[in-house]
């Protein structure tokens, strides 16, 4: 099946620092989604990207849909302690029945 | 408030027993999904349903069963045939529109000993 490679696997950063994570795929997707999961909770949608080259912001978060449609990145600016959690990328495509394919996640830990 | 409710939050079972996880949504979404989450891995699709009385296998359906008798409900049964059932199970729903993002419940942690 389709697979997404998400990196880094984990990050331990200082409060106030900027964070960057990305996902790559061997397959083309028509939609890229970024979710955040707090411990013991379900993932919550952060940003949805629908067009190749699209750059979208949501507060301190910025995400881009790669031009090749095979990659996406998420940036978090000026990290704060509540940013801790697991960040997942997900790709979606009609050829795969519109189902989501998830990356393995990036664990973010912030030192205050 | 609209949302997806999974119950119970924690579930403990003995090996060899079937167990059913509940998922209810009041978002009026047509599609519902079950995912399994293991440490260090992405979410893996178990089953999904796009319409009442119809469902399809996902990538890891073996040892699981589902039903979709009502639009709002999509229970998952973890059978004794599932070789490694201990995991965090997530239910999700979406509209049927193209590029519709999934909305997740808060999960059920199943421990089988």
């Amino acid at each position: 099946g389709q697979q997404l490679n998400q990196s880094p696997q984990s990050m331990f950063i200082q409060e106030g620092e900027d964070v960057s994570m990305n996902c790559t795929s061997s397959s083309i997707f028509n939609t890229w989604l970024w979710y955040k999961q707090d411990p013991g909770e379900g993932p919550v949608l952060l940003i949805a990207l629908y067009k190749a080259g699209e750059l979208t912001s949501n507060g301190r978060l910025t995400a881009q849909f790669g031009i090749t449609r095979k990659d996406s990145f998420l940036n978090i600016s000026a990290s704060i302690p509540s940013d801790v959690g697991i960040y997942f990328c997900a790709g979606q495509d009609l050829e795969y029945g519109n189902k989501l394919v998830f990356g393995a996640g990036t664990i973010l830990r912030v030192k205050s | 408030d609209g949302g997806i409710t999974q119950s119970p939050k924690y579930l403990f079972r003995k090996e060899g027993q079937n167990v059913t996880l509940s998922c209810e949504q009041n978002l009026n979404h047509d599609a519902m999904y079950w995912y399994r989450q293991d440490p260090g891995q992405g979410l893996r699709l178990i089953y999904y349903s796009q319409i009442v009385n119809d469902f399809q296998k996902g990538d890891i359906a073996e040892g699981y069963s589902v039903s979709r008798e009502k639009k709002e409900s999509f229970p998952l049964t973890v059978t004794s045939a599932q070789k490694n059932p201990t995991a965090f199970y997530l239910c999700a729903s979406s509209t049927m529109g193209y590029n519709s993002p999934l909305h997740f419940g808060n999960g059920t942690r199943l421990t089988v000993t």
Side-chain angles (χ1 to χ4, degrees), chain A residues 9 30-31 33 35 37 40-45 48 50 86 88 92-94 96-100 102-105, chain B residues 9 33 35 37 40-43 45 48 50 57-59 88 90 96-107 109:
Chain A
Q9 190 174 11
N30 286 318
T31 300
L33 305 170
Y35 286 86
Q37 184 180 30
E41 305 290 328
V44 173
L45 182 66
Y50 298 111
I86 306 176
F88 290 101
Q92 190 173 33
D93 189 77
L94 259 185
Y96 193 53
N98 217 28
K99 300 188 295 294
L100 289 182
F102 283 86
Chain B
K9 182 70 173 171
Y33 309 79
Y35 285 87
Q37 185 176 22
Q41 297 192 41
L43 280 63
L45 183 64
Y48 66 103
Q50 295 177 320
K57 293 181 180 179
D59 299 316
F88 191 52
L90 287 159
M96 283 302 295
Y98 180 57
N99 289 337
S100 302
L102 268 61
H103 299 266
F104 284 89
N106 278 333
R109 184 165 299 281

Side-chain angles (χ1 to χ4, degrees), chain B residues 30-33 47-56 67-68 74 96:
Chain B
D30 289 303
M32 297 187 74
Y33 309 79
Y47 267 99
Y48 66 103
S49 168
Q50 295 177 320
I51 195 169
V52 173
N53 291 324
D54 188 44
F55 46 82
Q56 286 79 40
S67 62
R68 187 88 186 276
F74 192 40
M96 283 302 295

